[in-house]
Amino acid sequence: MVKRKYVTNYSIENIAQSIVRDNLTGKKYSQEDKKQLFNEQLRLLKRFPRLNEIICLEHIHAYDIPWAKRIARLSIVPPQIVVVDSRIQDMCYLPHWTFYGSGEGSFSRCAGVGAFSCCPPFNPKAEKVQSLLDKADMFIVLQSKPGSMFSSGDPSGQFRVLNRLADEINSFLGKGTVVQKFGGGPCFACYPEVCEGGGKCKAPKLKVPSLEGMGICVDQLCKDLVFLTGDEKWKITWIKGFGTPDQKPKRMKGTAGLAIKLAI
């Protein structure tokens, strides 16, 4: 009888990896399968030279949006291997200590849950997100340099970059090429205006739900990128004591993505 090793502690990484090991997509593809699919993606990308030009870091860094220059790396990932699971969405509800300013702080779930209209329970369920990825031919992933959540001084910067990039892709490759946009953290597309909340949105064409809030396992996504690209910098370090005086590490990387459907 084969003995299996199970992760027994409750770090965020281990919880995420336990979900991956219990997910159909997580079980389906070997490392060899992933590499083969990735190579097929690279060959597919060569057939769309204009897309290559648009998703070039040099091109994106030229945007007149300060946050654009924070993007450190960009790659494609086969959408088939992206793990989507409702239990990743459930993790948004996990309580943790947060301290903003002075005071005793509070022990509760992410403040975006039930408040922002792009956070659970208002965003699509994992099954719907999976259906969107099933339509996609390519998944583009961007990751920023380490910094504070709002290093640029403009919380909307990330979302302005993603919307501009999506608009360019749709403009040159056809309306509807971008199947879905995914941000890193709660949507601030309307900043400095406050989110209407309650599932309502004053600018639905601009809203960008988070990867995690849509059920995508960012931990596994970045682990796959390390393997596929050979770049260890894709790896993420889970923050301990987020928002507290003892937070480690002090800086974080933002990971975002676009699922696209190509005319092939």
Side-chain angles (χ1 to χ4, degrees), residues 162-184:
L162 289 172
N163 278 309
R164 179 164 172 177
L165 182 60
D167 286 345
E168 278 197 90
I169 293 173
N170 283 328
S171 176
F172 285 98
L173 297 180
K175 184 179 179 181
T177 298
V178 177
V179 176
Q180 181 61 54
K181 298 170 286 188
F182 301 88

Side-chain angles (χ1 to χ4, degrees), residues 39-177:
N39 289 332
E40 290 174 3
Q41 291 275 285
L42 293 176
R43 289 192 289 270
L44 176 61
L45 187 57
K46 288 181 180 180
R47 295 168 53 186
F48 295 87
R50 184 53 182 154
L51 179 58
N52 266 298
E53 294 174 4
I54 294 172
I55 64 174
C56 169
L57 282 181
E58 184 178 0
H59 173 72
I60 298 173
H61 286 166
Y63 287 176
D64 55 349
I65 305 170
W67 198 88
K69 294 178 176 57
R70 287 191 59 202
I71 300 175
R73 57 198 65 86
L74 181 152
S75 182
I76 56 174
V77 169
Q80 302 97 308
I81 72 170
V82 177
V83 173
V84 184
D85 198 292
S86 62
R87 290 168 291 186
I88 296 295
Q89 293 176 310
D90 291 343
M91 290 175 72
C92 293
Y93 292 83
L94 292 177
H96 59 281
W97 276 104
T98 55
F99 289 74
Y100 295 100
S102 60
E104 296 182 354
S106 63
F107 185 68
S108 186
R109 65 193 186 188
C110 174
V113 174
F116 294 122
S117 292
C118 265
C119 289
F122 305 118
N123 46 11
K125 302 301 181 185
E127 294 78 9
K128 172 64 175 178
V129 179
Q130 182 63 65
S131 70
L132 291 172
L133 289 184
D134 290 343
K135 296 177 184 177
D137 298 304
M138 191 174 292
F139 197 85
I140 301 170
V141 186
L142 308 86
Q143 191 177 79
S144 71
K145 301 173 184 177
S148 68
M149 184 176 289
F150 307 130
S151 291
S152 67
D154 179 10
S156 70
Q158 174 194 170
F159 305 96
R160 290 166 58 204
V161 168
L162 289 172
N163 278 309
R164 179 164 172 177
L165 182 60
D167 286 345
E168 278 197 90
I169 293 173
N170 283 328
S171 176
F172 285 98
L173 297 180
K175 184 179 179 181
T177 298

Side-chain angles (χ1 to χ4, degrees), residues 16-17 20 26 31 34 81 83 217-225 236 238:
Q17 285 303 304
V20 170
Q31 295 295 76
K34 292 178 181 181
I81 72 170
V83 173
C217 183
V218 179
D219 186 74
Q220 185 60 43
L221 181 64
C222 291
K223 282 180 167 63
D224 283 334
L225 280 162
I236 58 176
W238 286 101

